[in-house]
Amino acid sequence: PINVPTTIPGLTTVQLTYQVRVALGSELTLRTATYSLIAADANSGADLSVSNLTVGTVSVQSPGQLALSDIFAQANVSQGQSFVVTVGVQNTGQAGILNVAGTLSFSGAGLTVTPRVTNPTTAGGGQIANFLFDVTVAAGALPGPRTASLSFTAREAGTLANLSASRAAAGTVNVQ
């Protein structure tokens, strides 16, 4: 416990605070927290101890993690055309993820990518969040295949740890 008093005056309440760390590899399950307290009345010496008092439950979860799909887009696009690319971002952990953001880029020149402002910023455990990107092909873009690259970041909801995932070859689009 943190800041535990050695005496508690009569008719007062003390809140005890504990910091618990879950070891890596711990069983992923619901845990019941119990508490035991050894105490005696200061005047009479009578035992006031309690043991195995249930104080709540805690769910031990695997941390949030990012996994990226290939891009979903039409195979062929024309010079001067705009199109939409969809990317699936899966949280493969049980804990949620926050502040999810990503970039999409294409090899070569002439494709301008803009992420949609309505893209999700969170994903619960096991969920897939779909991200949309508007892509414009310049009128003078050279014909040929363009390889998509993805880079995403997030924060794990429980620990606020930084997460990242990237894919260098996440699919292609052919400029005609």
Side-chain angles (χ1 to χ4, degrees):
I2 301 169
N3 299 329
V4 177
T6 56
T7 61
I8 302 171
L11 302 175
T12 61
T13 301
V14 173
Q15 181 175 339
L16 301 176
T17 303
Y18 287 81
Q19 184 174 0
V20 178
R21 183 174 302 251
V22 178
L24 289 175
S26 294
E27 182 181 1
L28 306 178
T29 186
L30 188 65
R31 302 288 178 98
T32 301
T34 59
Y35 186 75
S36 296
L37 176 70
I38 299 171
D41 183 281
N43 296 319
S44 69
D47 184 16
L48 300 175
S49 300
V50 293
S51 61
N52 295 323
L53 178 65
T54 300
V55 293
T57 58
V58 176
S59 180
V60 177
Q61 301 176 321
S62 62
Q65 292 291 325
L66 294 173
L68 306 176
S69 72
D70 281 343
I71 64 168
F72 296 97
Q74 58 195 74
N76 296 302
V77 295
S78 300
Q79 295 166 324
Q81 177 184 347
S82 293
F83 63 101
V84 176
V85 173
T86 302
V87 176
V89 178
Q90 182 176 14
N91 176 2
T92 59
Q94 293 174 319
I97 56 176
L98 313 166
N99 305 330
V100 183
T103 60
L104 164 68
S105 60
F106 287 93
S107 61
L111 276 71
T112 303
V113 179
T114 306
R116 296 245 176 117
V117 296
T118 56
N119 281 336
T121 58
T122 63
Q127 288 185 335
I128 296 174
N130 288 317
F131 284 74
L132 302 176
F133 296 87
D134 295 309
V135 182
T136 302
V137 182
L142 295 175
R146 300 290 192 279
T147 302
S149 295
L150 300 169
S151 180
F152 276 76
T153 59
R155 296 193 78 179
E156 203 271 344
T159 63
L160 298 180
N162 292 321
L163 306 173
S164 64
S166 59
R167 293 199 57 189
T172 59
V173 171
N174 187 51
V175 176
Q176 306 182 73

